[in-house]
């Protein structure tokens, strides 16, 4: 029973480590390279054909480079749409630079506005979290006085930066909303 428990405990770890490899030998044997390329392109990944070549070479399998490239380009047509780049960047994902060079100038503003908002929102949330934590610890009688003094100083520093932080966040919201309106985004 104890061995079974250890095996059950280790299996998720092994499964997560297998995700590090580009592709297993079994996947190499059965891969539809058009579909693999399309998935990589539509997920906004950089080309991974070199990784597949390396992984599949262990079984003397050579990926079909032409099919992979055709699929990748097809997938990119889905991924490299302005609204998709915008919404991916809002989630902290996305990379317009994987898109064809001729499309990047159009996609860059969609990415930058959304990415700037994402960063401002995260910074604002960290500020709020730190503000609450420092305020709580600055007046926590269970802590030593020197620790409370340190948190009180951190708390006052945050208070001094509150105007800047709030202004940056409001500006990011304003720019985002204006951009969405001007570009018909919801």
């Amino acid at each position: 029973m104890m061995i079974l428990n250890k095996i059950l405990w280790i299996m998720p770890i092994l499964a997560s480590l297998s995700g590090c490899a580009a592709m297993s030998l079994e996947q190499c044997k059965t891969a539809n390279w058009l579909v693999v390329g399309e998935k990589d392109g539509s997920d906004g990944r950089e080309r991974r054909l070199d990784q597949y070549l390396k992984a599949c070479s262990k079984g003397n399998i050579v990926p079909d480079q032409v099919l992979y490239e055709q699929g990748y380009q097809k997938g990119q047509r889905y991924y490299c749409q302005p609204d998709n780049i915008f919404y991916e960047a809002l989630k902290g994902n996305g990379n317009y630079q994987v898109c064809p060079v001729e499309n990047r100038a159009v996609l860059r503003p969609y990415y930058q506005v959304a990415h700037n908002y994402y960063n401002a929102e995260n910074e604002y949330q960290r500020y709020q979290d730190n503000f609450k934590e420092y305020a709580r610890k600055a007046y926590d009688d269970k802590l030593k006085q020197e620790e409370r003094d340190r948190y009180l100083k951190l708390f006052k520093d945050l208070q001094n930066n509150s105007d800047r932080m709030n202004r940056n966040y409001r500006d990011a919201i304003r720019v985002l909303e204006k951009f969405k309106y001007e570009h018909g985004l919801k």
Side-chain angles (χ1 to χ4, degrees), residues 10-165:
I10 292 175
M11 292 207 32
I13 295 170
L14 292 175
S16 70
L17 291 176
S18 69
C20 297
M23 188 174 277
S24 71
L25 284 179
E26 192 57 40
Q27 290 171 320
C28 288
K29 291 176 189 175
T30 60
N32 177 334
W33 293 104
L34 185 72
V35 172
V36 172
E38 186 174 346
K39 175 133 178 56
D40 284 352
S42 66
D43 286 347
R45 293 186 177 137
E46 294 193 23
R47 287 171 174 81
R48 302 191 314 164
L49 191 56
D50 288 344
Q51 294 174 28
Y52 298 136
L53 284 165
K54 184 178 178 182
C56 295
S57 69
K58 296 172 186 169
N60 292 325
I61 300 166
V62 179
D64 187 322
Q65 296 176 24
V66 172
L67 285 177
Y68 177 86
E69 186 59 32
Q70 288 173 351
Y72 186 81
Q73 289 176 9
K74 182 179 180 185
Q76 274 197 321
R77 285 192 292 276
Y78 297 117
Y79 179 77
C80 295
Q81 297 297 315
D83 58 336
N84 187 54
I85 295 296
F86 179 80
Y87 291 114
E88 285 295 311
L90 273 181
K91 297 183 285 187
N93 302 323
N95 181 3
Y96 74 95
Q97 293 178 333
V98 300
C99 297
V101 174
E102 61 271 12
N103 298 358
R104 291 181 191 168
V106 170
L107 299 174
R108 184 178 300 115
Y110 287 84
Y111 176 81
Q112 286 178 329
V113 167
H115 186 69
N116 289 345
Y117 171 78
Y118 174 80
N119 287 336
E121 182 181 42
N122 281 328
E123 185 179 13
Y124 182 77
Q125 190 58 54
R126 276 192 306 276
Y127 169 81
Q128 294 293 326
D129 293 344
N130 287 340
F131 193 87
K132 290 174 192 172
E133 179 186 358
Y134 297 164
R136 183 179 54 78
K137 288 185 176 181
Y139 301 102
D140 186 345
D141 291 337
K142 295 177 185 172
L143 296 177
K144 293 180 182 176
Q145 184 62 44
E146 60 206 28
E147 285 183 77
R148 289 196 312 257
D149 291 344
R150 185 171 65 87
Y151 283 112
L152 186 59
K153 182 186 179 329
L154 290 170
F155 179 71
K156 287 181 180 184
D157 289 345
L158 282 178
Q159 283 179 316
N160 291 336
N161 288 321
S162 68
D163 287 343
R164 180 191 60 80
M165 182 64 56

